Amino acid sequence: MNKSPQRRESNLIKKSHSLIGPSDPPAFEIFNESRSSKLLLVCDHASTNVPKKLKNLGIDKSQFKRHIAYDIGAAEVTRKLAYKLNSTAIVSGYSRLVIDLNRPPGDFESIPEISDNISIPENQGLTDSDKSLRISSFFKPYHDAIKKTLIKLSDNDKQPVLFSIHSFSPNYGDKPRPWDIGVLWNRDPRIALPLIEKLNQYGLNVGDNLPYSGLDLAYTIDLHGTAAGIANCVVEINQSQVQNKVGIMRWVNVLSKVLEEILKMDSLYQHRQY
């Protein structure tokens, strides 16, 4: 049956209310969709992409090679770990400078006007309508995808598990960050505590809520994990260790081994509020 003119017009209106053009990449990508594993991997800061309408945000392209634009190595670790563990992964499609998917809308770091002393012209002087368009174009589709995937992975017997992958810069100003990896968590300890213990067994310098605290910087897992009673955790890998294929595969192998053991714990698949 052909669509009515009214329906076609409605669809055109919906498409026009997006910053993502026909030649731009999607707001997110889902890899290795599978119900054989209850684990969902997510990567909030996977990409350096900017939609054509935003003209590189008015900054030099070289800035998109830096941590201010994305989490270096995190997307590759996420994708390869998903295949290694036969689990589903969702990765973001656009730079954190367009909108930070791990910050609540309205947060002062959600659409940064300045990042690491770099002025971002296209993020300055935005109206409420401009900000809403960023949310509807990039933020909402990504988080809707996570929510829908977790529902698909749920059943009466077992709840899914949420694991988020980030990377961090080895220095912050003149302060070194010596950790190989940080484990971020808020109230739910089910993944975090055994993960810290097992990573320490590899002789790694593991940060417990370092270099960031999961009490402050864990919007995605708090929204989809802790609030829903789903076991969750974030890792932050030192970006200097995931800048090439060798480093990426090293971390994929380490994380896959420790997560395979942790994922055998029955308590992970139970609905619990903390």
Side-chain angles (χ1 to χ4, degrees):
M1 181 181 293
N2 293 329
K3 293 181 180 179
S4 68
Q6 184 177 2
R7 176 67 61 82
R8 287 199 298 270
E9 182 180 354
S10 175
N11 288 340
L12 286 172
I13 291 172
K14 288 180 181 178
K15 289 181 180 179
S16 68
H17 281 73
S18 176
L19 287 168
I20 299 176
S23 61
D24 288 321
F28 64 89
E29 291 185 77
I30 300 182
F31 292 88
N32 199 34
E33 282 192 86
S34 171
R35 292 188 183 219
S36 63
S37 171
K38 291 290 184 181
L39 175 65
L40 174 61
L41 301 170
V42 297
C43 186
D44 299 327
H45 304 143
S47 177
T48 61
N49 290 326
V50 176
K52 290 181 174 60
K53 290 180 181 179
L54 294 184
K55 304 173 183 177
N56 284 328
L57 298 172
I59 62 177
D60 190 86
K61 289 183 179 180
S62 63
Q63 299 298 335
F64 291 96
K65 297 178 181 180
R66 301 178 56 208
H67 184 78
I68 63 170
Y70 77 122
D71 281 4
I72 294 169
E76 291 80 2
V77 171
T78 303
R79 292 187 184 101
K80 293 182 184 300
L81 188 60
Y83 290 116
K84 193 90 169 176
L85 295 174
N86 195 27
S87 59
T88 303
I90 299 177
V91 301
S92 63
Y94 286 87
S95 171
R96 73 200 311 170
L97 294 178
V98 174
I99 187 168
D100 194 327
L101 303 177
N102 197 35
R103 300 289 190 279
D107 185 274
F108 76 99
E109 291 185 331
S110 172
I111 305 175
E113 296 185 7
I114 298 174
S115 184
D116 196 20
N117 296 318
I118 301 298
S119 179
I120 307 170
E122 290 292 328
N123 286 356
Q124 296 172 359
L126 298 183
T127 65
D128 288 343
S129 179
D130 294 330
K131 294 174 183 178
S132 294
L133 189 54
R134 298 269 184 113
I135 293 168
S136 62
S137 299
F138 311 105
F139 184 93
K140 191 174 186 301
Y142 175 76
H143 284 286
D144 283 351
I146 293 174
K147 181 179 179 180
K148 290 175 182 177
T149 302
L150 288 172
I151 290 172
K152 287 181 181 179
L153 294 173
S154 302
D155 58 43
N156 292 330
D157 297 322
K158 287 186 175 183
Q159 294 298 306
V161 175
L162 181 62
F163 194 79
S164 180
I165 298 175
H166 292 251
S167 68
F168 67 92
S169 54
N171 294 283
Y172 185 72
D174 59 352
K175 296 181 180 179
R177 291 165 162 174
W179 305 279
D180 297 307
I181 188 171
V183 176
L184 279 60
W185 58 292
N186 192 332
R187 300 190 300 274
D188 190 335
R190 286 178 287 176
I191 302 175
L193 294 186
L195 181 60
I196 292 169
E197 179 183 354
K198 292 180 184 299
L199 288 172
N200 278 322
Q201 292 172 3
Y202 279 82
L204 297 166
N205 187 345
V206 183
D208 182 351
N209 270 332
L210 295 167
Y212 309 108
S213 172
L215 299 173
D216 303 320
L217 298 174
Y219 177 79
T220 296
I221 64 163
D222 282 347
L223 176 66
H224 301 287
T226 304
I230 292 172
N232 62 84
C233 186
V234 180
V235 289
E236 291 266 359
I237 304 169
N238 190 315
Q239 71 181 32
S240 67
Q241 300 182 24
V242 285
Q243 295 193 15
N244 56 46
K245 291 181 180 179
V246 173
I248 288 167
M249 285 311 304
R250 170 178 173 260
W251 274 108
V252 169
N253 289 330
V254 169
L255 289 172
S256 64
K257 287 178 182 177
V258 297
L259 285 174
E260 280 175 351
E261 295 180 37
I262 293 171
L263 289 169
K264 294 176 183 177
M265 299 167 52
D266 290 338
S267 62
L268 264 60
Y269 306 103
Q270 300 171 5
H271 179 277
R272 291 186 181 180
Q273 295 288 348
Y274 291 85

